[in-house]
Amino acid sequence: MEDLHKILNESQYEAVTTLQGPILVIAGAGSGKTRVIEYRSLNLITKGIHPSSILLLTFTRRASQEMITRASRHDPRCKDIDGGTFHSFAYRMLKRYSKAIGFKQDLIVLDESDSKEAIHRCANALNLYNKDKRFPKKDTLKTIISMSINKSSPISEIIKREYPHFTEYIEDIKRLAVAYGEYKIKRAYIDYDDMLIYLKAMLEDQGLRQAITRPYKYVMIDEYQDTNALQGAISILLAGKTGNIMVVGDDAQSIYGFRGANHKNIMDFPSFFENCKIIRLELNYRSYQRILDCANALLNTMDNKYQKCLHSVKDNIGVRPNLYFFKNTYEEAEWIADFIKDSLADGVPLHHHAVLCRSMYLTIPLQAELSKRNIPYETYGGIKFYETAHVKDILSYLKIKVNIHDEIAWHRILMLLEGIGTKTVERLTTYISEQSSIDNVIKVLASHSKNSKKAHSLNSLIKVLENAFQINKNDVGAIFDIFFEYYKPLMKNKYDDWHIRINDLETLRQVASRYKDLEDMLADFAIEPPERSVYAQEPETKDEDRPLCISTIHSSKGLEWDTVIIMGVIDGIIPISFCLDNEEEIEEEKRLLYVAITRAKKRLSLTLHHEGKRGGIMQFNKLSRFLTPPAVHSSLDVSLSNKEYDNKTFSQTQIPTCSSDLLKKIFEYYRN
């Protein structure tokens, strides 16, 4: 193995070579935490630890694969490390021990939209939509139930805090949550949140805990600051008797409280173990020191933190971040667009820039200004591949191959058929759910195909079901092809842009052909689906033509750019106005600004505008309270816009008269 002293700095070396006992690694932004996990994995294996006895949990499969791949370049044995996300690990354990838990049939994983549909069905069964006043919609109900689980908080508290206008329905929603749970158990459904609930319950059972933890001598967990209460408890239970667990994270980058992430997990971790070692990574490999000076100043104002100070390894200290004030949001947008244009003219590629914001609506004027200048940009995120309607359609066919009692999948499939209405679909779905085999299901469909309007649609469906159910479910590619050929004409009839959408299904076909178990494929897509769709994307561009990135700060975490502009650093935007009565949420907003600052490598600018409207009322904005402490403010180079203000408003400008009947001409144009 390579000489670790030459590869790692002192703190990294300590984290990599400390192999016994509990360890908390506080990894400052840009401090090389991935390298720590990479070389610690390698070090464990070279010390004789079998790779399958090492468990690596991360928040994305991509992160896990990246770390294992990097370690495998040094030693091929590293590829056998057991890595994955909390949810994928939970699913594997559920699949392995489902019979021990009490399930008699294979589990089906509900994705987000299927979960909402199931909740809607339960609400209808309880007659909750027959209220005189408006009952919450299924999206809101799913959010309330999920937040209650992820924050380990009673439903009543979630509603009072987040949805006070629905307090009269607290008892109804509590009943609904129980009904939803029973609905899932009866049908062997599990949703995203259930995976963690079941895993924690299994680990709390002594027999199952021994079976689950026995293979693992070492546990490593990345991004520990983003764990929720359930994941925190699971981490402690996984440590087992050996206590050989290393968690890596940065308390100053805990920004996902709205998803249930609990900042206390990383702060309280040492209290669960005797002699827990805390190692701080403070050498920064990303940013110039002037940018880190600003970040450190902000860090020092935080409450309840691990003390650290980031130091750049770069010789160039750079320039102080700029703080620009503008009259209004339009002038702010114009300046940013001109800055990007000038930077591009100086030879800096667009994709080396990013504009970050607290909320995407702030960028609407900027997007208009960029379009005027023909500057291509991309808002970070996009349509989720798995949530596009055409992908969900085709996957519904695959789901019934795994479980013929999947009511949600049947409902979607039947709704695609021509000549069949909603009432017939509901009736057929009920009949199908009562059948014990696919042969009986086909008989039900055949009995309804005597109606001439339905005959062709149902007979075609019956034929494809007969063909698909003759194939072993492990031949995923063949099953997919059968349903894909059947679905093509339905898709062409349903979508005007089917020729674009079909690219997604061709991609999905390639993915499916690599699986040897249909159940595993469906679970993978529900747990961590591909992020982007071919549909609604531009063709692949050359690296030098990649567009400017416009992103929310939350979506930018883990990324970096040479030049970063943080727009809208206004009190009431960051921190966001609705959190101002909660000190913990204000602290999280401060950490959010810290994350934004530490995305910049070479140049950082922050902008705000004075004039704004909120609720239709003109107001004057104040600089974010996070930037006003003397140490923070002095780390910035403060500038006013050098653009002269034109005090004339549009209402004061004379509107020209039109000498002809313009509307009549346009009308004639359309007629011709």
Side-chain angles (χ1 to χ4, degrees):
M1 189 173 71
E2 303 165 80
D3 186 348
L4 295 178
H5 279 293
K6 294 180 179 179
I7 299 168
L8 307 169
N9 64 46
E10 186 177 338
S11 297
Q12 290 174 333
Y13 181 84
E14 183 181 10
V16 166
T17 57
T18 303
L19 303 182
Q20 301 302 314
I23 308 166
L24 169 61
V25 178
I26 299 298
S31 62
K33 69 178 179 65
T34 301
R35 173 166 286 220
V36 165
I37 296 175
E38 169 191 350
Y39 279 97
R40 190 171 193 264
S41 301
L42 176 63
N43 192 34
L44 284 168
I45 288 173
T46 56
K47 291 288 194 296
I49 303 300
H50 196 278
S52 64
S53 66
I54 302 170
L55 176 63
L56 171 60
L57 296 180
T58 63
F59 274 81
T60 66
R61 185 188 300 130
R62 181 179 178 182
S64 173
Q65 289 173 342
E66 179 189 357
M67 293 173 190
I68 292 173
T69 299
R70 287 173 60 164
S72 299
R73 291 173 188 158
H74 309 288
D75 189 324
R77 292 176 295 174
C78 293
K79 72 179 185 301
D80 294 325
I81 289 173
D82 193 347
T85 65
F86 273 94
H87 289 85
S88 66
F89 177 73
Y91 172 72
R92 283 194 287 125
M93 295 303 106
L94 268 169
K95 186 177 179 181
R96 186 178 299 170
Y97 299 112
S98 60
K99 298 295 188 294
I101 296 170
F103 287 107
K104 297 180 180 179
Q105 59 196 88
D106 291 337
L107 297 173
I108 294 294
V109 181
L110 297 178
D111 62 45
E112 186 71 10
S113 60
D114 286 345
S115 297
K116 293 172 184 176
E117 180 60 30
I119 287 172
H120 185 72
R121 285 170 172 268
C122 292
N124 277 328
L126 293 173
N127 294 317
L128 295 179
Y129 287 111
N130 294 337
K131 302 284 183 181
D132 293 334
K133 296 181 181 179
R134 187 177 74 80
F135 194 69
K137 295 180 180 179
K138 61 183 179 182
D139 295 49
T140 304
L141 293 168
K142 175 66 172 70
T143 299
I144 290 170
I145 293 170
S146 184
M147 287 178 69
S148 173
I149 292 168
N150 285 294
K151 294 194 171 192
S152 296
S153 180
I155 282 176
S156 57
E157 293 301 316
I158 297 296
I159 294 173
K160 289 174 184 177
R161 170 67 184 163
E162 306 291 340
Y163 301 94
H165 49 294
F166 288 138
T167 51
E168 63 184 297
Y169 297 124
I170 286 176
E171 292 305 316
D172 286 333
I173 296 172
K174 286 165 69 175
R175 283 197 301 125
L176 174 62
V178 172
Y180 175 52
E182 293 174 348
Y183 176 90
K184 289 182 291 182
I185 291 172
K186 183 178 179 181
R187 293 161 178 80
Y189 285 156
I190 53 171
D191 66 18
Y192 197 69
D193 299 323
D194 290 331
M195 295 181 196
L196 299 183
I197 294 172
Y198 279 104
L199 178 58
K200 179 174 179 286
M202 287 191 291
L203 288 169
E204 288 173 336
D205 178 273
Q206 187 173 356
L208 283 174
R209 181 181 178 186
Q210 288 179 354
I212 292 170
T213 60
R214 188 181 299 115
Y216 306 113
K217 296 181 180 178
Y218 293 89
V219 177
M220 292 186 285
I221 301 175
D222 189 25
E223 301 287 7
Y224 195 70
Q225 78 281 348
D226 293 335
T227 54
N228 61 28
L230 280 171
Q231 290 163 330
I234 288 167
S235 302
I236 304 305
L237 290 166
L238 283 173
K241 294 181 179 179
T242 65
N244 289 335
I245 180 171
M246 182 181 84
V247 301
V248 182
D250 184 3
D251 55 298
Q253 295 187 70
S254 178
I255 60 171
Y256 295 120
F258 66 95
R259 295 181 187 169
N262 192 337
H263 181 249
K264 292 181 179 179
N265 283 357
I266 194 166
M267 301 307 300
D268 295 345
F269 180 81
S271 66
F272 288 97
F273 303 96
E274 291 184 13
N275 305 316
C276 177
K277 179 178 280 191
I278 301 175
I279 301 171
R280 292 172 173 81
L281 305 183
E282 297 174 294
L283 278 181
N284 178 283
Y285 295 85
R286 176 186 297 155
S287 307
Y288 287 160
Q289 189 59 49
R290 292 296 192 194
I291 295 171
L292 297 181
D293 289 342
C294 179
N296 288 330
L298 181 63
L299 182 64
N300 287 333
T301 68
M302 293 181 188
D303 297 328
N304 193 25
K305 63 179 183 295
Y306 288 102
Q307 191 63 47
K308 56 183 170 292
C309 183
L310 298 178
H311 305 281
S312 177
V313 299
K314 298 181 182 296
D315 294 332
N316 189 341
I317 65 170
V319 296
R320 283 190 298 169
N322 296 102
L323 174 62
Y324 292 103
F325 292 82
F326 299 94
K327 179 183 178 182
N328 54 47
T329 185
Y330 304 103
E331 187 179 291
E332 181 183 21
E334 287 175 5
W335 180 87
I336 294 172
D338 285 339
F339 175 88
I340 299 293
K341 186 177 181 180
D342 292 343
S343 183
L344 181 62
D346 290 338
V348 181
L350 279 177
H351 68 281
H352 287 193
H353 302 77
V355 179
L356 307 183
C357 58
R358 175 60 178 83
S359 301
M360 191 55 76
Y361 76 87
L362 294 167
T363 71
I364 293 174
L366 172 61
Q367 293 182 44
E369 293 299 325
L370 291 169
S371 296
K372 287 179 187 177
R373 292 161 178 78
N374 294 317
I375 298 174
Y377 63 88
E378 182 178 58
T379 53
Y380 195 83
I383 299 173
K384 285 187 180 293
F385 178 80
Y386 189 62
E387 293 300 326
T388 52
H390 51 291
V391 171
K392 289 190 66 62
D393 287 346
I394 195 75
L395 289 177
S396 293
Y397 296 104
L398 302 180
K399 288 178 180 180
I400 61 168
K401 170 66 175 172
V402 172
N403 180 3
I404 62 166
H405 298 109
D406 192 329
E407 295 178 7
I408 297 170
W410 276 114
H411 189 274
R412 190 176 192 96
I413 289 167
L414 295 172
M415 286 299 294
L416 290 169
L417 301 181
E418 188 176 357
I420 299 182
T422 304
K423 290 184 179 179
T424 302
V425 167
E426 291 290 347
R427 187 166 61 251
L428 276 171
T429 301
T430 301
Y431 291 153
I432 289 170
S433 67
E434 296 169 351
Q435 307 310 310
S436 59
S437 69
I438 188 62
D439 292 335
N440 290 340
V441 170
I442 289 173
K443 289 177 183 177
V444 169
L445 295 175
S447 68
H448 284 73
S449 68
K450 297 173 183 178
N451 184 312
S452 59
K453 291 183 179 180
K454 307 172 187 175
H456 178 71
S457 294
L458 285 174
N459 286 334
S460 295
L461 177 59
I462 289 169
K463 185 176 180 179
V464 77
L465 290 174
E466 288 173 339
N467 291 337
F469 275 81
Q470 289 176 7
I471 299 175
N472 189 293
K473 72 174 184 177
N474 294 333
D475 195 349
V476 181
I479 296 168
F480 186 94
D481 285 344
I482 288 173
F483 286 129
F484 187 22
E485 292 304 315
Y486 166 78
Y487 177 66
K488 279 181 183 177
L490 297 177
M491 179 176 65
K492 292 178 181 179
N493 185 54
K494 184 177 181 180
Y495 303 110
D496 292 339
D497 56 355
W498 64 267
H499 59 295
I500 299 175
R501 294 174 183 259
I502 201 170
N503 293 326
D504 281 341
L505 302 187
E506 292 289 357
T507 301
L508 186 57
R509 170 191 260 165
Q510 295 173 24
V511 173
S513 66
R514 294 200 295 265
Y515 278 86
K516 295 181 179 179
D517 188 306
L518 181 55
E519 188 179 342
D520 286 346
M521 174 193 163
L522 293 172
D524 281 351
F525 270 69
I527 294 168
E528 192 176 0
E531 284 294 314
R532 297 299 302 271
S533 169
V534 174
Y535 171 63
Q537 284 192 68
E538 295 296 323
E540 188 174 341
T541 55
K542 296 179 181 179
D543 190 64
E544 62 268 22
D545 296 328
R546 286 165 56 193
L548 166 73
C549 176
I550 301 176
S551 173
T552 61
I553 302 172
H554 283 103
S555 295
S556 74
K557 188 168 176 288
L559 304 174
E560 60 184 35
W561 296 269
D562 284 349
T563 300
V564 170
I565 299 171
I566 307 171
M567 68 181 301
V569 286
I570 295 167
D571 217 55
I573 290 178
I574 187 162
I576 198 80
S577 57
F578 57 71
C579 80
L580 297 181
D581 62 344
N582 187 304
E583 286 300 322
E584 287 186 11
E585 291 184 8
I586 291 175
E587 279 296 299
E588 180 163 315
E589 292 285 305
K590 187 183 292 184
R591 297 193 293 268
L592 189 62
L593 181 58
Y594 174 84
V595 166
I597 290 169
T598 54
R599 299 311 93 198
K601 296 164 68 176
K602 297 179 179 179
R603 183 166 182 178
L604 173 66
S605 297
L606 302 94
T607 68
L608 74 154
H609 53 273
H610 284 301
E611 295 178 1
K613 280 188 177 181
R614 191 165 298 172
I617 301 173
M618 180 65 74
Q619 66 177 27
F620 289 97
N621 298 318
K622 295 193 302 182
L623 177 65
S624 169
R625 66 188 67 187
F626 302 147
L627 298 175
T628 57
V632 180
H633 203 264
S634 64
S635 71
L636 303 171
D637 188 356
V638 182
S639 304
L640 290 173
S641 163
N642 56 12
K643 192 171 183 178
E644 293 186 7
Y645 298 139
D646 180 0
N647 291 321
K648 292 182 180 179
T649 64
F650 182 77
S651 60
Q652 295 169 326
T653 305
Q654 185 177 2
I655 301 174
T657 58
C658 185
S659 59
S660 61
D661 192 343
L662 191 60
L663 284 179
K664 185 176 180 181
K665 287 185 177 181
I666 293 173
F667 180 70
E668 292 298 327
Y669 169 82
Y670 283 120
R671 289 187 64 181
N672 294 330

